[in-house]
Amino acid sequence: MWIFCNTPQTELSLLIPRCLLPPDPHLPHPSPHTPHAVLQSGHMPAVRIWDANERTQVAELQEHKYGVACVAFSPNAKYIVSVGYQHDMIVNVWAWKKNVVVAANKVSSKVTAVSFSEDSSYFVTAGNRHVKFWYLDASKASKVNATVPLLGRSGLLGELRNNFFSDVACGRSRKADSTFCITTSGLLCEFSDKRLLDKWVELRTTMANCLSVSEDFIFCGCADGTVRLFNPANLHFIATMPKPHHLGMDIAAATEPSHLFSTRADAKYPDTIALTYDPTNRWLSCVYNDHSLYVWDVKDFKKVGKVYSALYHASCVWSVEVYPEVEDSNRACLPPGSFITCSSDNTLRLWNTEGSSTHGSSLHRNMISSDLLKVLYMDSNTSTLLDVENNSAGGSDKPDGQAAEMKTGIRTLCVSPDGQHMASGDRAGTLRVHDLQLLRELLQVEAHDSEILCLEYSKPETGMKLLASASRDRLIHVLDAENDYSLLQTLDEHSSSITAVKFTANGGSVRMITCGADKSIYFRTAQK
């Protein structure tokens, strides 16, 4: 049996190392599109204007202190309105090509949405017990160099004054004088040109998050994947859109269009949190709170078709591992160019963005995503698949303490050099090993008392088949991958979290190198 011993005088003290390899410098480019605005939060937040065709930033607008809650272009493209977070309490109107604020004012309520009128003469903000109309005096703003005060008038909410208005959209064409809002409680409301809330209808949902208004339709995004369609002329109901995939679905099995729609009575669906309508193509794009995107063809509401769909991680991605090149292509479990990711949403996901053939693999292209091949769920809890923090519904935010207590998610992963096995470690200290050929779990063991921060398989040149698992609990376990992952050795030299482990083979000796938050690197040599 082999064991690893500390090499004499090879403990090095240095600044806290986070990894032993530099990060990959290649980042994806944004897809070509019209110029658009990106809003930020955190330190020195800004509204950044990008020309996506040129892939360049054309303006940076920096006036908010804490973060930007929402932003909108005026239809004439002269102005951008940005609303800060509740503690910021500022509404700014920018002449973005000149990079100057032409009008501003304060707002006392939490604002989550803003929309410009069709003629760009005013805009409307919506939020917690708040709907306000802001009027731009274009002639005054264009002649005065200094920032002028914005003129604001509150909407007359009547008996609905205690609602949270989650989204707002100004009317178009024949309904240009009207303004439409939705409440989190599930009401679609219409304001007249006198700012009076005089019409509303029930959406028959537990929560409404977003809406999109065109000349002919109002689309309302609701809970449980529901999108309802109304006529803006009279608020009459027209249709309900199809729902997306259900939570926990095995997307690899969805190889036929009929597989998209679940017949399970207990199926749960992600909430619709954003949508926009393209009246030219009559396409409706929907974003759901499991970070999936669907584009629906709504030319015929009796026969709605799916144009495009994609599914992504619902929470932060902790690790990315490229599937190794296997000499014998018949033994490869995934097509060339594949990679695997793990996330706080408690899933492992197998991807291939190159369109490689899946011939010889147990995986096939599916109807949900063109690049996601398979989702491996660690348990049946679907709540981890939802991004509840980014819901537009302002009243659903979780307390920071409660969010911190949710120690779920896969923290790290590693694929064996022969491409047959995949090891993963979660934030609770559980180690799992999956067979990539059969896509089933081989091992699940509570290996550590705290989250597993790194995993590493030994390379073929070492002549061994080992798996090292290191954790925040300061321990390193060395497992025998050839003998059902039996424990060979536990190492405890580090006095703090271990952040990286690597195996090396040179000069006829095999070494294991580790580094951690104790500002040390240890070199250990394998001995029989």
Side-chain angles (χ1 to χ4, degrees), residues 358-423:
T358 57
H359 178 71
S361 168
S362 59
L363 298 173
H364 304 280
R365 297 291 172 181
N366 60 78
M367 300 297 298
I368 304 293
S369 174
S370 60
D371 45 23
L372 180 59
L373 301 178
K374 177 74 175 180
V375 180
L376 296 173
Y377 304 96
M378 299 301 103
D379 54 39
S380 58
N381 181 14
T382 59
S383 64
T384 59
L385 303 175
L386 301 176
D387 183 358
V388 294
E389 293 181 2
N390 290 330
N391 264 15
S392 61
S396 63
D397 293 343
K398 289 190 174 183
D400 293 339
Q402 183 177 348
E405 291 176 4
M406 294 180 61
K407 297 283 285 185
T408 61
I410 308 301
R411 187 64 174 79
T412 184
L413 67 95
C414 187
V415 179
S416 62
D418 60 5
Q420 298 300 305
H421 290 176
M422 171 181 61

Side-chain angles (χ1 to χ4, degrees), residues 40 75 98 131 156 190 206 236 282 318 358 361 474 487:
Q40 294 179 325
K98 300 178 183 178
V131 176
L156 305 176
E190 180 181 350
T206 56
H236 285 180
R282 298 192 70 175
W318 283 113
T358 57
S361 168
R474 301 175 286 113
L487 180 65

Side-chain angles (χ1 to χ4, degrees), residues 408-450:
T408 61
I410 308 301
R411 187 64 174 79
T412 184
L413 67 95
C414 187
V415 179
S416 62
D418 60 5
Q420 298 300 305
H421 290 176
M422 171 181 61
S424 63
D426 67 17
R427 298 187 66 193
T430 303
L431 172 66
R432 295 178 177 88
V433 178
H434 283 82
D435 185 323
L436 288 177
Q437 190 69 53
L438 302 175
L439 294 175
R440 65 181 180 87
E441 190 175 273
L442 297 177
L443 173 72
Q444 178 179 338
V445 58
E446 295 179 5
H448 296 273
D449 293 333
S450 187

Side-chain angles (χ1 to χ4, degrees), residues 229-277:
L229 175 62
F230 292 84
N231 186 337
N234 49 24
L235 297 189
H236 285 180
F237 173 74
I238 297 176
T240 298
M241 297 286 295
K243 293 185 177 184
H245 59 277
H246 65 85
L247 296 173
M249 178 182 184
D250 181 9
I251 68 163
T255 55
E256 300 292 337
S258 60
H259 296 161
L260 288 174
F261 308 105
S262 173
T263 56
R264 288 174 47 188
D266 61 341
K268 297 180 181 179
Y269 297 88
D271 298 343
T272 313
I273 58 171
L275 46 78
T276 186
Y277 178 61

Side-chain angles (χ1 to χ4, degrees), residues 326-345:
V326 181
E327 293 183 2
D328 184 359
S329 59
N330 293 325
R331 286 183 52 80
C333 303
L334 299 178
S338 299
F339 60 96
I340 306 169
T341 57
C342 65
S343 165
S344 283
D345 63 13

Side-chain angles (χ1 to χ4, degrees), residues 50-109:
W50 295 83
D51 184 336
N53 291 317
E54 300 295 330
R55 296 177 179 175
T56 57
Q57 179 179 303
V58 296
E60 181 181 350
L61 314 171
Q62 211 164 35
E63 285 289 329
H64 297 285
K65 292 182 180 180
Y66 301 101
V68 187
C70 50
V71 67
F73 277 99
S74 63
N76 61 15
K78 289 183 179 180
Y79 303 111
I80 285 179
V81 58
S82 64
V83 184
Y85 281 0
Q86 188 172 6
H87 300 294
D88 188 284
M89 298 194 303
I90 296 293
V91 179
N92 288 322
V93 178
W94 316 77
W96 63 275
K97 293 180 181 179
K98 300 178 183 178
N99 201 15
V100 295
V101 179
V102 296
N105 211 327
K106 287 195 172 184
V107 60
S108 58
S109 302

